[in-house]
Amino acid sequence: MSLRSPAPASTSGGPAPFGSPGTAPVRRATPRRYLMCPPVHFRVHYAINPWMHPHKPVDVPLAVTQWEALRDRYTALGHTVEVLPPRPDLPDMVYAANGATVVDGRVLGARFAYRERAEEAAAHLEWYRAHGHRRVREPVHVNEGEGDFAVTATWLLAGRGFRSSPLSHPEAQEFLGRPVIGLDLVDPRYYHLDTALCVLDDSTDTEVMYYPGAFSPGSRAVLARLFPDAIVATGADAAVLGLNAVSDGRHVLLPQAAVGLFGPLRERGYEPVGVDLSELLKGGGSVKCCTQELRGLD
Ligand code: ARG
């Protein structure tokens, strides 16, 4: 993996227009708190998305090593990682992003679409309650946490079509007090919003990358209207779950195989950090799926 600093900002005169050579904007990382769950009990024993093949072997020690490398990356970047205790009966628990959506210190719990994962919801809620958080809602409608909710400075982008119920959108808006923008997912490979879209700078409402092919024509038009300067990913980068990334405002941790995204990220002043989570890809997830962000929790 190669890490390169972004091109220096222009020092001559006023701001150069976006996209001019050598004028990448300066991006600022802000310290984050993440919740992760180690894949010690990770297995692919059932198939609830097209990535999962129960007959294909999974190397659990390798999954753990890869997960630890991701956790260590976060801490090396100055972020805090909290650990959710894994349960032997819940092999998908490593995908911690699905367990809740935490915004402005409010915790909207999850309700899973498949019974195989149903009990993860209570394990997450228990963790928040045990850590003294009181602004916690157990949802009425199916939502798979940050799998389908993404946060910008103002909005909650919300996926639907495969997992989260459309009814979870008004529920999230009411509880979190943020305007929801519903987006329709149409390709079963991109069954959660976080497999098709990543917010790169959540201090703005403009900085995202996404794969248009994952969305309905109307949702594509909405994305083009809201994010005219977005990084638009190719099918090849989406197909290695390159959009399943986590950004701290500057560093973007993403699957290392998403080679086509590195250049566009650098051009915009981000530092791409390639991560190998090959074992967890076998469950249909990567960097973002393993990482729940705790926004505004003390
Ligand atoms: N096997 C899991 C499922 O299908 C993978 C979840 C991936 N998580 C995510 N945030 N996209 O539910």
Side-chain angles (χ1 to χ4, degrees):
M1 180 205 62
S2 71
L3 265 182
R4 219 176 63 192
S5 299
S10 166
T11 48
S12 58
F18 176 80
S20 303
T23 57
V26 176
R27 304 289 177 185
R28 274 180 230 304
T30 52
R32 311 284 168 141
R33 245 178 109 193
Y34 298 126
L35 179 66
M36 297 179 71
C37 180
V40 287
H41 304 299
F42 178 58
R43 303 281 182 277
V44 181
H45 281 170
Y46 53 79
I48 55 172
N49 70 54
W51 303 81
M52 301 175 84
H53 302 289
H55 299 298
K56 204 160 140 184
V58 170
D59 184 337
V60 175
L62 179 57
V64 172
T65 305
Q66 292 175 336
W67 179 91
E68 287 173 347
L70 175 63
R71 179 202 56 196
D72 294 349
R73 279 278 183 187
Y74 287 136
T75 51
L77 289 168
H79 305 308
T80 306
V81 177
E82 310 281 352
V83 174
L84 178 69
R87 278 198 12 200
D89 54 330
L90 297 171
D92 268 338
M93 222 175 149
V94 60
Y95 304 111
N98 298 127
T101 304
V102 183
V103 187
D104 306 325
R106 292 174 163 261
V107 181
L108 176 64
R111 183 176 288 271
F112 285 81
Y114 289 100
R115 64 173 165 70
E116 288 88 341
R117 299 194 67 186
E119 285 184 44
E120 291 181 43
H124 278 259
L125 286 179
E126 249 165 59
W127 187 88
Y128 288 100
R129 292 187 173 128
H131 286 76
H133 304 300
R134 293 287 165 261
R135 289 185 296 169
V136 176
R137 177 182 170 90
E138 191 175 345
V140 173
H141 299 291
V142 169
N143 88 68
E144 295 202 348
E146 285 202 315
D148 277 323
F149 289 125
V151 181
T152 70
T154 313
W155 302 317
L156 207 55
L157 307 178
R160 59 188 173 213
F162 295 101
R163 300 290 181 89
S164 298
S165 158
L167 295 173
S168 71
H169 295 186
E171 184 176 17
Q173 175 165 292
E174 190 59 30
F175 180 65
L176 299 171
R178 288 189 171 234
V180 165
I181 294 168
L183 297 167
D184 291 295
L185 297 163
V186 295
D187 180 333
R189 289 175 301 165
Y190 307 113
Y191 56 94
H192 276 144
L193 181 66
D194 72 359
T195 62
L197 180 144
C198 169
V199 175
L200 296 170
D201 179 355
D202 60 5
S203 70
T204 76
D205 284 321
T206 53
E207 292 286 310
V208 304
M209 57 179 181
Y210 69 94
Y211 172 54
F215 297 92
S216 69
S219 293
R220 266 184 242 168
V222 167
L223 290 167
R225 191 182 287 264
L226 289 179
F227 307 114
D229 293 328
I231 296 177
V232 174
T234 62
D237 289 320
V240 292
L241 287 189
L243 280 323
N244 197 246
V246 170
S247 176
D248 64 12
R250 178 182 177 94
H251 310 97
V252 180
L253 285 75
L254 77 171
Q256 64 182 14
V259 288
L261 292 172
F262 283 58
L265 285 167
R266 287 191 184 112
E267 275 164 30
R268 286 164 171 79
Y270 297 104
E271 277 186 45
V273 179
V275 176
D276 181 8
L277 287 179
S278 61
E279 292 312 298
L280 296 170
L281 195 65
K282 295 174 182 172
S286 192
V287 177
K288 172 60 204 170
C289 298
C290 295
T291 313
Q292 173 160 166
E293 185 161 351
L294 308 175
R295 298 178 191 80
L297 286 191
D298 0 283

